[in-house]
Amino acid sequence: MTDKPETVSILRHLHSKPGHDEVKADFRQLLVVEFGVALTDLDFERRVPEVKGRIDALIGRTVFEAKSDLDKEWGDVERRMPDYLTNRECEERQHFVGIASDGCKWAVFELAGSKLVKVKETVLNPEEAGLFLAWLDGALALKASLPPDALTIRSELGNGSVAFHLVNARLRALWLKLKGDRTVSLKRQLCSRRTT
């Protein structure tokens, strides 16, 4: 668990689903306090004229959408998030992920073509702050280096991690595209023989 009392307080407040504006404010504070993000690196309420809306927060290659109740507003996320991600990817020519949250429930999305795909979701448990922060760090990919401990490796790279789900989906799509190619198929067979 984190040793920062301010982080624990933020997580407990988020867990209570405090409402749209407070989720945004707590998210911003969490990024600053726990992840060391400079306020100048955060872009809140960014206008997206093509979508006729505003991105609640933009940090690096992550679009954040705050909600009062994620379950009740799921349809809104499914309508808006693809446009927000498309806009950012077209402008920046880089892959973006989206996070939607009501403070308690968190979901990570990406675009597969023009379709929105939920990559991973979690429920914040303030009593397991370390697990949640590692999950969030993996979704945001903010840090340049990671501590080489079991929790970090499992959270960041294990089969339950956001990174694993993103890469696994891309590899599956690539395999579906290339499995008819005889050369690729032969190489895959040869590689699988070496590992057994």
Side-chain angles (χ1 to χ4, degrees):
M1 186 165 181
T2 181
D3 58 353
K4 296 179 182 172
E6 188 175 359
T7 298
V8 174
S9 176
I10 293 167
L11 294 179
R12 286 193 175 126
H13 190 248
L14 279 168
H15 183 261
S16 72
K17 292 171 49 170
H20 176 269
D21 291 337
E22 290 189 51
V23 168
K24 256 191 331 190
D26 283 352
F27 180 66
R28 177 180 56 226
Q29 195 62 19
L30 186 63
L31 291 173
V32 170
V33 170
E34 188 61 35
F35 295 100
V37 175
L39 283 174
T40 56
D41 292 337
L42 298 169
D43 192 357
F44 280 81
E45 294 296 330
R46 183 185 189 120
R47 284 193 175 281
V48 183
E50 300 83 2
V51 183
K52 296 181 182 170
R54 293 174 188 239
I55 295 173
D56 285 334
L58 186 60
I59 172 68
R61 289 180 291 125
T62 304
V63 170
F64 179 75
E65 186 70 11
K67 296 296 176 193
S68 294
D69 186 315
L70 192 55
D71 290 329
K72 290 180 182 175
E73 297 174 86
W74 194 259
D76 187 56
V77 172
E78 290 179 322
R79 279 188 303 280
R80 291 179 176 267
M81 189 65 77
D83 293 334
Y84 292 155
L85 292 173
T86 299
N87 172 271
R88 299 312 313 139
E89 289 181 0
C90 286
E91 253 187 53
E92 301 294 330
R93 301 201 184 283
Q94 292 186 39
H95 182 74
F96 275 69
V97 296
I99 297 178
S101 177
D102 58 14
C104 183
K105 187 174 181 179
W106 297 71
V108 177
F109 303 91
E110 73 169 344
L111 289 177
S114 61
K115 183 181 174 194
L116 185 68
V117 177
K118 181 176 67 171
V119 175
K120 187 96 170 118
E121 67 182 346
T122 194
V123 174
L124 168 60
N125 178 352
E127 303 310 314
E128 294 181 351
L131 286 174
F132 173 74
L133 293 171
W135 180 90
L136 184 59
D137 188 35
L140 295 169
L142 294 173
K143 295 182 179 174
S145 62
L146 301 169
D149 57 52
L151 175 63
T152 301
I153 292 168
R154 185 173 54 249
S155 300
E156 295 281 343
L157 304 172
N159 65 0
S161 71
V162 173
F164 175 86
H165 285 275
L166 288 169
V167 170
N168 190 41
R170 287 189 197 130
L171 287 173
R172 286 181 186 276
L174 185 60
W175 173 245
L176 287 174
K177 183 178 175 181
L178 297 174
K179 72 180 181 180
D181 183 302
R182 290 174 30 155
T183 305
V184 172
S185 185
L186 177 61
K187 287 180 181 179
R188 185 170 191 223
Q189 288 174 10
L190 292 172
C191 285
S192 67
R193 286 183 191 158
R194 286 186 206 154
T195 59
T196 56

